[in-house]
Amino acid sequence: MLTAPSVRPVDPAELDDVLRVLRREPVNNAFITARVETAGLDPWRLGGEMWGWYSAGRLASLCYAGANLVPLCAEPAAVRAFAERALRQGRRCSSIVGPAEETAALWSYLEPHWAPAREVRACQPLMAAERESAAVPADPQVRRVRRDEVERVLPACVAMFTEEVGVSPLAGDGGLLYQARVAELVGAGRSFARFEDGRVVFKAEIGAATSAACQIQGVWVAPERRGEGLSEPGMAAVLRYALREVSPVISLYVNDFNAAARASYRRVGFREVGTFMSVLF
């Protein structure tokens, strides 16, 4: 089967070394880097373990093992070691996600034991922008969601998640964790929407933010308003906020089969800089 792993959970005292590895790929790793910068490496605060793979005694690769299993700056030997540890532990994650090459290799080891997956999205272009849109004017009606508007934006967030992932975020615990996450983003000033008659017709969030890069997520237009040209000006507005107030590089990833979204993001000014992969259980 697999060779014995050379991997262990990192110690909280290794925070500087972990951040050194994560910052080698600031766009790819933005989501996990933001969590580590905020929570440190204590598993209870981080929401999972951070596994480290060491080369010549030096931390070289990482894998986040929580609700998601995420290989980070993982060379082939590290991926193999992470796979064996995951197999020994058993599947606890709801998805495997990360840069496509590492994620595909990790899944190749795990698939014989963890299959079937509910869905495998093998090609999800990673897109990035470093300047405000020159071609699409920002929608002046897209603004930050206020703290007292969490209940108004929540139905749109639930609809987007269900449409994108294929399951409701309200399952299991009744949505308590998901509602807390929505409220957290609103409270941090990273949730944006266009409201009409009190209803959300466009929304997006900055889901992860570091000083080097941030990631837009949850882009959604109300179904009855699609095709009216709300998404591109809305994205241009969120991009402007993000560049002016958060990070110098703004990223997102999108399914390869969503040709309309990819074209829309390109018109706003995003370009493809890599590929992600997701395995959903």
Side-chain angles (χ1 to χ4, degrees), residues 138-159:
D139 184 345
Q141 294 189 55
V142 169
R143 59 170 176 82
R144 276 194 171 89
V145 177
R146 300 191 306 266
R147 291 176 186 267
D148 63 353
E149 294 174 318
V150 171
E151 293 302 319
R152 289 185 176 182
V153 77
L154 182 61
C157 294
V158 171

Side-chain angles (χ1 to χ4, degrees), residues 54-240:
Y54 297 78
S55 177
R58 183 177 174 85
L59 183 64
S61 297
L62 296 164
C63 184
Y64 174 74
N68 315 110
L69 191 64
V70 187
L72 303 151
C73 301
E75 56 188 86
V79 171
R80 192 177 184 89
F82 293 143
E84 182 162 273
R85 185 175 183 90
L87 287 174
R88 291 204 316 271
Q89 173 180 278
R91 184 174 73 81
R92 301 178 183 177
C93 60
S94 60
S95 69
I96 306 170
V97 61
E101 183 176 355
E102 295 99 310
T103 304
L106 185 59
W107 179 230
S108 74
Y109 294 126
L110 299 176
E111 183 176 12
H113 308 274
W114 287 8
R118 180 167 56 84
E119 186 176 357
V120 176
R121 299 178 180 178
C123 182
Q124 296 175 298
L126 176 67
M127 307 183 78
E130 294 88 18
R131 59 182 64 87
E132 295 180 28
S133 179
V136 179
D139 184 345
Q141 294 189 55
V142 169
R143 59 170 176 82
R144 276 194 171 89
V145 177
R146 300 191 306 266
R147 291 176 186 267
D148 63 353
E149 294 174 318
V150 171
E151 293 302 319
R152 289 185 176 182
V153 77
L154 182 61
C157 294
V158 171
M160 179 284 307
F161 187 100
T162 304
E163 184 177 338
E164 173 65 19
V165 179
V167 296
S168 171
L170 305 183
D173 66 351
L176 294 178
L177 287 175
Y178 186 75
Q179 292 176 61
R181 176 58 175 164
V182 171
E184 177 188 1
L185 290 173
V186 170
R190 302 211 309 261
S191 177
F192 302 87
R194 173 175 172 147
F195 292 88
E196 293 184 3
D197 298 322
R199 289 187 62 252
V200 175
V201 296
F202 167 87
K203 69 101 185 165
E205 299 91 37
I206 300 172
T210 74
S211 60
C214 68
Q215 188 176 91
I216 294 175
Q217 65 175 38
V219 181
W220 182 85
V221 174
E224 71 276 9
R225 301 298 302 278
R226 292 173 187 175
E228 296 182 18
L230 292 174
S231 64
E232 291 178 15
M235 280 298 296
V238 177
L239 176 62
R240 182 179 62 185

Side-chain angles (χ1 to χ4, degrees), residues 18 22 83 145 186 208 256 272:
V18 168
L22 290 172
V145 177
V186 170
D256 63 334
E272 295 186 11

